Amino acid sequence: GAVVSQHPSRVICKSGTSVKIECRSLDFQATTMFWYRQFPKQSLMLMATSNEGSKATYEQGVEKDKFLINHASLTLSTLTVTSAHPEDSSFYICSAGTSGGTSSYNEQFFGPGTRLTVL
Amino acid sequence: AQSVSQHNHHVILSEAASLELGCNYSYGGTVNLFWYVQYPGQHLQLLLKYFSGDPLVKGIKGFEAEFIKSKFSFNLRKPSVQWSDTAEYFCAVTARSGGYQKVTFGTGTKLQVIP
């Protein structure tokens, strides 16, 4: 299957700083990338959907000014957690998929996740 | 808005036992359905998917799932589990919402297989 990488795998930062997480599709072009947050012992919560070249669509309750998403190319999306606070500590997972217009949506390929710890 | 519910949060089975994990969704339109698995320390992997056609779909590692439209269900089954099936299983649904594909995951079911 297709490979999606995330960098960094773990990051520890001080409260108030910003952290950028990269998501790359290594061997395919991803028209759509998704960012999830996974709390301990809970399911993935979709944060936002980003399509290459357009603004991300955020889920209800997700602050777009706090979680900045950029999908600059078909192989790279970034999530920047701005002015991080301890409550932002979580496991962030991206996925990449191909979907086009009205065509059927294909499967998503998941990255390994990034563990963010805000002190 | 679509939603997905997985009623079994934690399932413990002995090896060779049969498995059925429930998944129900709510959405009035056309959906695509998925089961993902997350083995300990690993990231999510696709087990199987349903887009259209035969409602009984077969996936990897002997898993299968049946889409029953009238019941809005997509239960996962395996006739005989192995210790290596110990993992967390997530049901997911995608549907078009506001011009883009929206993905919703269930809360997951932790499966523990005892040797």
Side-chain angles (χ1 to χ4, degrees):
Chain A
V3 179
V4 175
S5 69
Q6 274 183 250
H7 178 79
S9 57
R10 289 179 184 270
V11 58
I12 301 172
C13 69
K14 292 183 179 178
S15 186
T17 60
S18 294
V19 174
K20 181 186 281 188
I21 303 170
E22 291 186 349
C23 177
R24 291 180 186 273
S25 57
L26 297 185
D27 50 1
F28 70 103
Q29 293 185 326
T31 50
T32 307
M33 285 185 169
F34 302 87
W35 286 95
Y36 297 87
R37 187 171 175 176
Q38 188 175 29
F39 293 97
K41 300 183 181 180
Q42 294 189 35
S43 181
L44 290 89
M45 182 193 79
L46 179 64
M47 297 175 66
T49 302
S50 76
N51 292 292
E52 185 266 338
S54 61
K55 287 184 180 179
T57 303
Y58 289 80
E59 295 301 302
Q60 195 171 9
V62 178
E63 298 175 60
K64 59 181 68 177
D65 294 330
K66 181 165 188 63
F67 298 100
L68 301 178
I69 291 171
N70 185 291
H71 192 162
S73 76
L74 286 171
T75 59
L76 173 65
S77 176
T78 59
L79 167 69
T80 302
V81 183
T82 63
S83 187
H85 290 282
E87 57 264 31
D88 298 325
S89 298
S90 192
F91 195 57
Y92 293 87
I93 302 171
C94 75
S95 70
T98 56
S99 64
T102 57
S103 65
S104 293
Y105 179 73
N106 293 315
E107 68 188 82
Q108 297 177 65
F109 301 96
F110 286 83
T114 296
R115 173 76 58 194
L116 170 63
T117 303
V118 184
L119 302 176
Chain B
Q2 68 209 55
S3 66
V4 180
S5 61
Q6 291 181 244
H7 306 295
N8 316 105
H9 298 295
H10 194 181
V11 173
I12 302 173
L13 293 173
S14 298
E15 274 195 316
S18 64
L19 170 72
E20 180 159 3
L21 301 182
C23 173
N24 287 90
Y25 69 93
S26 66
Y27 184 71
T30 302
V31 296
N32 297 323
L33 299 154
F34 304 81
W35 275 98
Y36 287 88
V37 61
Q38 188 171 28
Y39 296 103
Q42 298 186 30
H43 57 278
L44 282 165
Q45 302 171 45
L46 181 70
L47 264 185
L48 47 79
K49 60 188 177 186
Y50 172 80
F51 287 167
S52 63
D54 188 345
L56 183 64
V57 291
K58 295 192 183 298
I60 60 171
K61 303 186 181 185
F63 286 90
E64 65 178 32
E66 185 174 13
F67 171 49
I68 303 179
K69 191 174 182 180
S70 60
K71 294 184 178 180
F72 297 91
S73 70
F74 190 56
N75 292 355
L76 180 71
R77 299 194 292 249
K78 185 170 183 178
S80 175
V81 295
Q82 300 172 314
W83 177 77
S84 59
D85 294 323
T86 294
E88 190 155 15
Y89 294 81
F90 295 93
C91 181
V93 169
T94 65
R96 291 200 76 83
S97 175
Y100 70 99
Q101 291 283 355
K102 181 179 168 67
V103 183
T104 304
F105 277 82
T107 51
T109 298
K110 276 202 164 127
L111 172 65
Q112 185 179 353
V113 180
I114 301 170

